[in-house]
């Protein structure tokens, strides 16, 4: 029923445009290929700054993972002793030279802890990228539905304007034939002017909606839109409420990733409490005997002032915050999903009422009233009342269908699944 209604309303735009010149209204020129919702989403995703930023974050996290796996660089040192002194040490001829390499040895699992933090951050960046893509799809879907609904409103307004013009001409004929008073002609002319104003208003709003969609996808929207996206729910009931759970959603996955990053941060802070060793094997040349000897040094930092305890306390506090934020997120998402399901159910019920038998009856009543008015069987007031009722029902139908699709899009965004780790 709903696709039939939408197709019927869209088809009236062709009639309205074809007859617009006869009744004096300026038709809108729409040319170009059909732009579907999926095509609009793809275009927006390819030019959206948010998508580029999310992709850059993923690349940065991947590079950070490689950095985390690197070991510390060794240091080469050269020492010159016993030169530029007094007596036998005057000049540089008596200098002893020592060359050594300082090799840091990380202890306590620091490298593994860094890698774990980098892995958690990389997974969080992937989730952020999925969130950006879901947001882009939702935003484009909203704009596309609004633009499609605006196009259907233009079709309705232009069709009503065409009908008002036909009614005005019929009223003129009746007055000239002496079958009606001039007041009837004036009322018909007022109705025609009102319909013309509404048609112009609908066209301006549709052009604005198209411009908003064009800005979002990064290219002009010159072709028609697929008004089939305004199809309504089925005729059956919505069924019993589903159990509301935030598990598997993008928002909860982001909170889980933040908690995993905080856990890895705690392990990293603990590993930092273990002092590292620096070993320095080298070679010394003794100028006095022209001999060469090996040297070996070991250095260990003394944790007298900073033993790492404060850093562990900070990491534990951040972990508690991430855990609490995860619980808050789970409650918020479940509440939002529940509200969105109720909103979608209410919108579905409104769409069934507005786009069902009531609209069909209003269309048939208006058709009969037009025929009866031309044949002199109905008065003008009956015709105007039937036309007003049909206009209201058409507008209510489009509003209900658009509201249902927007509510469904919001629910789909809230329940969008999270990507698997590593994908």
């Amino acid at each position: 029923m709903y696709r039939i209604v939408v197709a019927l309303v869209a088809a009236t735009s062709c009639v309205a445009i074809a007859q617009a010149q006869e009744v004096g209204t300026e038709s809108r020129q729409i040319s170009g290929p059909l732009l579907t919702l999926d095509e609009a989403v793809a275009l927006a995703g390819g030019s959206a700054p948010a998508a580029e930023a999310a992709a850059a974050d993923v690349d940065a996290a991947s590079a950070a993972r490689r950095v985390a796996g690197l070991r510390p660089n060794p240091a080469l040192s050269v020492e010159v002793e016993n030169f530029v002194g007094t007596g036998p040490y005057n000049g540089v001829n008596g200098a002893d030279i020592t060359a050594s390499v300082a090799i840091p040895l990380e202890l306590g699992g620091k490298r593994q802890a860094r890698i774990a933090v980098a892995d958690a951050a990389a997974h969080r960046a992937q989730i952020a990228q999925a969130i950006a893509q879901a947001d882009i799809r939702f935003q484009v879907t909203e704009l596309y539905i609004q633009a499609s609904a605006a196009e259907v409103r233009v079709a309705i307004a232009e069709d009503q304007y065409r009908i008002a013009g036909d009614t005005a001409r019929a009223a003129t004929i009746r007055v000239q034939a002496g079958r009606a008073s001039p007041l009837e002609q004036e009322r018909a002319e007022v109705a025609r002017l009102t319909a013309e104003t509404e048609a112009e208003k609908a066209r301006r709003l549709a052009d604005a909606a198209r411009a908003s969609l064009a800005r979002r996808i990064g290219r002009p929207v010159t072709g028609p839109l697929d008004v089939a996206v305004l199809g309504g729910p089925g005729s059956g009931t919505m069924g019993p409420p589903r159990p509301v759970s935030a598990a598997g959603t993008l928002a909860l996955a982001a909170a889980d990733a933040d908690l995993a990053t905080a856990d890895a941060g705690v392990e990293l802070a603990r590993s930092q409490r273990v002092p590292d060793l620096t070993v320095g094997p080298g070679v010394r040349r003794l100028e006095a005997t022209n001999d060469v000897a090996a040297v070996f040094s070991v250095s260990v930092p003394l944790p007298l002032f900073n033993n790492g305890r404060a850093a562990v306390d900070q990491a534990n506090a951040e972990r508690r915050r991430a855990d609490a934020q995860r619980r808050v997120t789970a409650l918020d998402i479940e509440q939002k999903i529940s509200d969105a399901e109720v909103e979608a159910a209410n919108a579905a019920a409104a769409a069934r009422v507005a786009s069902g038998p009531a609209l069909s009856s209003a269309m048939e009543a208006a058709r009969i009233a037009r025929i009866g008015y031309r044949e002199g069987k109905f008065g003008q007031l009956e015709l105007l009342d039937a036309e007003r009722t049909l206009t209201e029902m058409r507008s209510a139908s489009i509003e209900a269908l658009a509201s249902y699709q927007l509510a469904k899009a919001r629910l789909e965004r809230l329940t969008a699944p999270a990507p698997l780790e590593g994908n």
Side-chain angles (χ1 to χ4, degrees):
M1 168 62 73
Y2 304 98
R3 290 189 179 274
I4 294 174
V5 170
V6 173
L8 179 61
V9 172
T12 60
S13 63
C14 298
V15 179
I17 293 174
Q19 301 185 9
Q21 298 300 327
E22 298 180 10
V23 294
T25 186
E26 181 183 354
S27 60
R28 298 165 69 236
Q29 298 298 325
I30 297 178
S31 60
L34 175 71
L35 178 67
T36 65
L37 175 58
D38 289 338
E39 291 172 347
V41 172
L43 289 171
S47 61
E52 295 179 7
D57 284 341
V58 171
D59 293 340
S62 178
R65 168 61 178 82
R66 296 196 301 272
V67 172
L70 300 177
R71 300 180 186 278
N73 291 322
L76 174 65
S77 65
V78 177
E79 297 181 4
V80 180
E81 302 178 65
N82 303 327
F83 73 103
V84 192
T86 59
Y89 300 109
N90 184 24
V92 296
N93 292 329
D96 295 332
I97 301 176
T98 302
S100 62
V101 178
I103 303 175
L105 299 179
E106 292 184 304
L107 303 179
K110 293 182 179 65
R111 180 170 175 268
Q112 291 79 5
R114 285 199 311 272
I115 292 175
V117 171
D119 285 338
H123 181 55
R124 180 64 175 84
Q126 292 175 351
I127 294 176
Q129 186 178 37
I131 290 175
Q133 293 171 348
D135 287 339
I136 291 171
R137 181 170 187 85
F138 172 63
Q139 293 162 5
V140 174
T141 299
E142 273 193 320
L143 293 174
Y144 192 94
I145 290 173
Q146 292 167 357
S148 298
E151 291 299 322
V152 177
R153 294 188 191 100
V154 170
I156 293 174
E158 290 184 341
D159 191 47
Q160 290 302 120
Y161 178 53
R162 176 185 60 80
I163 294 170
D166 293 342
T167 303
R169 286 191 293 273
T172 301
I173 294 173
R174 285 166 59 93
V175 170
Q176 292 174 351
R179 294 188 299 168
S181 68
L183 180 60
E184 187 169 311
Q185 183 179 0
E186 293 299 326
R187 279 201 299 258
E189 182 63 18
V190 170
R192 188 190 69 81
L193 293 174
T194 301
E196 181 181 15
T197 301
E198 291 299 322
E200 293 175 354
K201 177 182 176 182
R203 284 192 292 271
R204 285 192 293 268
L205 292 175
D207 289 339
R210 277 178 170 266
S212 297
L213 179 60
R215 282 192 296 269
R216 196 65 183 83
I217 67 176
R219 51 158 278 188
V221 181
T222 58
L225 302 177
D226 184 12
V227 296
V229 298
L230 296 175
S235 58
T237 61
M238 291 294 294
R242 297 175 299 172
V244 178
S245 174
T249 61
L250 281 172
L252 189 61
D256 286 336
D258 290 337
L259 180 58
T261 302
D263 285 333
V266 172
E267 294 302 320
L268 179 60
R270 289 173 178 170
S271 70
Q272 297 294 332
R273 298 196 66 191
V274 180
D276 294 335
L277 294 178
T278 301
V279 296
V283 177
R284 174 175 295 177
R285 179 181 178 277
L286 303 174
E287 180 66 23
T289 61
N290 199 26
D291 292 325
V292 176
V295 295
F296 188 83
S297 64
V298 177
S299 63
V300 180
L302 300 178
L304 298 179
F305 305 107
N306 181 8
N307 61 5
R309 183 68 240 178
V312 173
D313 292 342
Q314 178 185 3
N316 281 323
E318 292 175 352
R319 196 268 175 200
R320 292 196 305 272
R321 178 193 58 77
D323 182 60
Q325 186 60 46
R326 182 198 177 279
R327 296 195 300 272
V328 171
T329 299
L331 294 175
D332 288 345
I333 291 300
E334 290 178 354
Q335 183 63 50
K336 290 179 179 179
I337 292 175
S338 179
D339 293 343
E341 287 182 340
V342 172
E343 182 183 5
N346 290 338
R352 280 193 291 268
V353 172
S355 303
L359 178 58
S360 300
S361 298
M363 294 173 67
E364 180 64 15
R367 187 187 68 84
I368 294 173
R370 293 180 205 124
I371 296 174
Y373 179 71
R374 287 194 297 268
E375 295 178 354
K377 296 179 180 179
F378 296 138
Q380 188 185 45
L381 294 180
E382 287 83 356
L383 174 61
L384 293 177
D385 183 65
E387 293 291 359
R388 182 175 62 253
T389 301
L390 176 59
T391 300
E392 292 174 354
M393 289 301 300
R394 279 178 160 178
S395 299
S397 174
I398 296 305
E399 293 297 331
L401 291 173
S403 296
Y404 169 72
Q405 293 299 334
L406 291 173
K408 191 171 71 169
R410 282 189 285 271
L411 181 59
E412 290 175 352
R413 170 60 187 88
L414 288 171
T415 57
L420 298 177
E421 188 170 359
N423 291 344

